[in-house]
Amino acid sequence: VSRAYTESLVQQTAWEPADVLMACAIAKTLTLPCRAVVREWSMDHSEGWAGVAKRLQDKPDARNIEGAAPREF
């Protein structure tokens, strides 16, 4: 993720630096682009980061490694 992208997120009132860090950390864990996690959080974050991670993990297009144990958030 580019520095410019993360800086632009932090400039938005809805994004704290910790939120940007969490989005990118979840993305790395699920092997997804950070932007995909940012989009998911922006659509609905009523269940917090755990809910966002679970929804992304449950999506059929999430790039989970076949045979890997599911990760808990």
Side-chain angles (χ1 to χ4, degrees):
V1 173
S2 72
R3 182 180 181 131
Y5 180 69
T6 58
E7 287 176 351
S8 70
L9 284 175
V10 173
Q11 290 175 359
Q12 298 177 26
T13 57
W15 285 90
E16 295 291 328
D19 291 324
V20 176
L21 177 66
M22 185 63 79
C24 292
I26 289 171
K28 184 172 183 174
T29 300
L30 297 178
T31 63
L32 294 169
C34 187
R35 291 173 189 261
V37 180
V38 167
R39 276 192 298 272
E40 191 70 29
W41 172 264
S42 296
M43 287 189 294
D44 178 17
H45 55 267
S46 61
E47 296 178 354
W49 283 111
V52 170
K54 175 118 176 64
R55 284 195 312 271
L56 286 167
Q57 189 174 21
D58 291 344
K59 286 189 175 189
D61 62 345
R63 289 178 236 136
N64 294 327
I65 299 170
E66 191 173 318
R71 296 178 188 248
E72 294 294 324
F73 291 95

